[in-house]
Amino acid sequence: MTLAPMTLAPVTLAPVTTLAAGVAAFEARAYDRAWAVFRPLAEAGDPEAQAWLGALYAGGTGVPASLAQAFAWYRRAAEQGHGPAATNVGAMLAMGQGVAQDRAEGARWLERAAASGDVLAAYNLATLLAKGDGLPADPARAATLYRSAAEAGHYPSQARLGHLYAHGIGLEQDRIEAFAWLSLAAGHGVGTALTALEAVIGEMSADEKRQGAARAQARRTEPGRIAPIPA
């Protein structure tokens, strides 16, 4: 018996939905489309999509703003080792945004993110430690964290580090170092740095100013890319 040829049913391949498609939609301000892409990926466990979904809820872009939802998605991403999401978890805990305020727990998340090299985490943790805000003050540790972020090109950290050098807080007072870091921050529009720089200049000799300018020039680099996820 001869069998009739078999006919296969046509197969239509579903379009592949990728994270890049969601990012492209976000950049095009097609937030509804971005949410539609990120949501299933996030629910499937993709930490990058979870972090982006948190950003949509935090900013109210494509969905009603909800800090509680933002925190929940950031935390899911952070628990998988997503550094910028961990920074946002720490900051939101420290400020009580979308979750009950817990500065000590926030500091633990910021410490974790800073250890992975996240610049904003280092800055936020340094700010808590410098003030002793909800945890013991540690000016020396704050100075170390500010320096790590400053060396990565984070302008507010450069301003804070310059302030610490100018007043000898957490490290030895050094007008030349203060001049160098404040100059870098002031050159990128940090207003408080310009005011502080003017005060330091008034106390410096011509030779100190030359040394400070040389150090600032040697450190003048383009900053590393800062995580684009809004807190």
Side-chain angles (χ1 to χ4, degrees), residues 94-111:
M95 295 184 288
Q97 293 185 347
V99 65
Q101 188 176 54
D102 187 337
R103 285 195 170 92
E105 180 67 9
R108 282 191 285 273
W109 277 103
L110 290 172
E111 187 77 58

Side-chain angles (χ1 to χ4, degrees), residues 62-156:
V63 290
S66 172
L67 290 178
Q69 285 274 14
F71 179 83
W73 285 110
Y74 283 145
R75 181 152 196 157
R76 288 177 66 172
E79 287 172 346
Q80 295 192 72
H82 192 283
T87 296
N88 288 340
V89 167
M92 293 176 81
L93 279 164
M95 295 184 288
Q97 293 185 347
V99 65
Q101 188 176 54
D102 187 337
R103 285 195 170 92
E105 180 67 9
R108 282 191 285 273
W109 277 103
L110 290 172
E111 187 77 58
R112 179 173 168 177
S116 73
D118 190 83
V119 172
L120 293 180
Y123 173 79
N124 287 334
L125 181 58
T127 300
L128 293 178
L129 290 170
K131 297 179 179 178
D133 194 355
L135 61 159
D138 189 342
R141 171 75 170 138
T144 298
L145 288 163
Y146 278 135
R147 186 172 193 106
S148 70
E151 290 175 344
H154 186 247
Y155 306 139

Side-chain angles (χ1 to χ4, degrees), residues 175 178-179 182-183 194-206 208-209:
R175 288 193 296 266
F179 180 99
L182 291 171
S183 293
L194 180 59
T195 301
L197 180 60
E198 291 173 348
V200 169
I201 288 174
E203 301 174 353
M204 296 177 72
S205 67
E208 286 176 325
K209 293 174 189 176

Side-chain angles (χ1 to χ4, degrees), residues 145-190:
L145 288 163
Y146 278 135
R147 186 172 193 106
S148 70
E151 290 175 344
H154 186 247
Y155 306 139
S157 291
Q158 293 172 348
R160 292 301 305 166
L161 183 60
H163 170 80
L164 296 184
Y165 269 117
H167 298 279
I169 301 172
L171 36 69
E172 187 175 351
Q173 186 178 34
D174 188 328
R175 288 193 296 266
I176 295 172
E177 281 292 287
F179 180 99
W181 289 113
L182 291 171
S183 293
L184 289 172
H188 288 92
V190 181

